[in-house]
Amino acid sequence: MPSIMKTAGVVAGLAAVACALPAQPKMTTRQNHIYSLAKRQNAAAAALGLQDVDILQFALTLEWLESTFYQQGFAQFSDDQFTALGLNAVQLADLKSIGSSEEAHVGLLQSAIAQAGVQPVQPCQYNFGFTDAAGMVATAAILESVGISAYLGAAPLVSDGAILSTAASILTIEARHQSFIRVASGVAVSPSPFDTPLGPKAVFSLAAPFITSCPAGSNLILTAFPTLTMTNPAPVAGVMALAEGSMLNFESDAASGATFCGFTNSAAPGGTAFSPFDAAQGCALPPNLAGTVYVTLTSAGPDTGVLTDDITLAGPLVMNLS
């Protein structure tokens, strides 16, 4: 990874070049916020010592999960179960093409990792828990959202430009997958003007509950945070319409030391809105959140809005807000 001094030198050089160029449009306050969020949310992940090949292995782990998810779902549920949800023939073909795209992503990442002289991770055994086509589509929407957040969160950790370009080419397709599934589900395509980056450990924690076992040599260096579940209101598949200030209750084996709920969303100043947590009363939903929101239990609620691994006790879980 680049050293601090080297990075400082590059920044200084860029600043000098910028001064010699004609005036260009400046980033808006909102764009600066998203840029800062992507960097700060990944400070702890950078401290894990992840190298570029580790990021590729991490991405491959997620793509294996997604690819297997679609394979199992389409093998388990017949076409008529999807058309019963309101999908027409074209939309059903598009949904199936998502699975094909995920398989192509697997192949691309395997090749990149092998070219680096490293053995690519193998697929794990999974339990997705879906019992009908509607549940599969709802889970697909979550997986695609998490995939987008994973690639966004990993981008600042990648030092090789070619690898970053490859990851970006996958990210844009994942975003199209998510948009299609939202359209097919009859919900807003773009409920928020920005997507939310997540660090590798948070993303792995979202994937881990689906993984039952992995082959020898295919375990990542990451460990998952304890699981977090929402008990009230009862979680639903799809979008939840919750008013600002609604009280939410959560459970986790690691809840005893929690003092705040963290709601990570691109609309939150600093990246995460913190709300005081009480085991009996829960915590209040902060204002101005929309789209995909990642909820954690934390031991602190920094005024900066920056969520780090060292204060995260459990989660995240995914909420989709209207």
Side-chain angles (χ1 to χ4, degrees):
M1 301 300 290
S3 68
I4 294 175
M5 292 302 295
K6 181 178 180 181
T7 302
V10 171
V11 172
L14 290 174
V17 172
C19 290
L21 293 174
Q24 299 292 325
K26 296 181 179 180
M27 289 204 301
T28 65
T29 300
R30 190 64 178 161
Q31 289 168 330
N32 275 309
H33 159 63
I34 297 299
Y35 174 71
S36 298
L37 169 62
K39 292 197 302 180
R40 290 183 296 184
Q41 293 289 81
N42 284 279
L48 293 174
L50 298 175
Q51 303 299 312
D52 282 358
V53 71
D54 298 315
I55 299 298
L56 288 177
Q57 294 279 44
F58 172 65
L60 179 56
T61 297
L62 296 179
E63 294 294 346
W64 271 128
L65 186 151
E66 290 184 312
S67 175
T68 306
F69 169 83
Y70 287 105
Q71 289 175 4
Q72 291 186 6
F74 292 131
Q76 184 172 345
F77 306 118
S78 60
D79 289 357
D80 62 333
Q81 292 184 63
F82 292 100
T83 55
L85 300 177
L87 299 181
N88 59 39
V90 173
Q91 289 175 322
L92 179 56
D94 284 341
L95 183 62
K96 290 186 174 181
S97 74
I98 293 178
S100 300
S101 293
E102 304 299 359
E103 292 178 18
H105 295 168
V106 166
L108 177 62
L109 291 169
Q110 284 179 310
S111 177
I113 293 167
Q115 289 177 15
V118 177
Q119 177 67 37
V121 295
Q122 299 302 304
C124 299
Q125 295 296 314
Y126 311 98
N127 181 5
F128 297 108
F130 40 54
T131 57
D132 54 32
M136 177 192 167
V137 173
T139 303
I142 293 174
L143 289 180
E144 297 297 342
S145 295
V146 172
I148 293 168
S149 294
Y151 279 100
L152 282 176
L157 303 178
V158 177
S159 59
D160 187 293
I163 292 177
L164 186 60
S165 179
T166 297
S169 71
I170 295 176
L171 168 61
T172 57
I173 300 302
E174 298 288 350
R176 290 173 190 162
H177 292 171
Q178 183 201 44
S179 295
F180 166 75
I181 292 173
R182 292 186 70 88
V183 168
S185 301
V187 299
V189 176
S190 183
S192 175
F194 301 99
D195 283 311
T196 303
L198 279 182
K201 189 170 181 177
V203 172
F204 182 66
S205 298
L206 288 165
F210 296 115
I211 300 173
T212 57
S213 65
C214 292
S218 292
N219 292 299
L220 300 179
I221 63 174
L222 300 170
T223 56
F225 291 115
T227 302
L228 180 65
T229 58
M230 183 164 64
T231 58
N232 185 54
V236 299
V239 176
M240 302 181 72
L242 296 175
E244 167 190 335
S246 297
M247 295 303 295
L248 311 176
N249 293 94
F250 301 96
E251 285 185 353
S252 173
D253 291 340
S256 59
T259 55
F260 286 87
C261 294
F263 295 84
T264 300
N265 181 262
S266 62
T272 300
F274 292 96
S275 178
F277 171 76
D278 176 85
Q281 300 298 322
C283 54
L285 180 69
N288 305 321
L289 303 183
T292 302
V293 179
Y294 300 104
V295 186
T296 52
L297 292 184
T298 68
S299 59
D303 292 337
T304 58
V306 178
L307 176 66
T308 56
D309 288 352
D310 62 318
I311 66 170
T312 301
L313 299 179
L317 65 77
V318 184
M319 295 174 57
N320 281 305
L321 300 180
S322 58

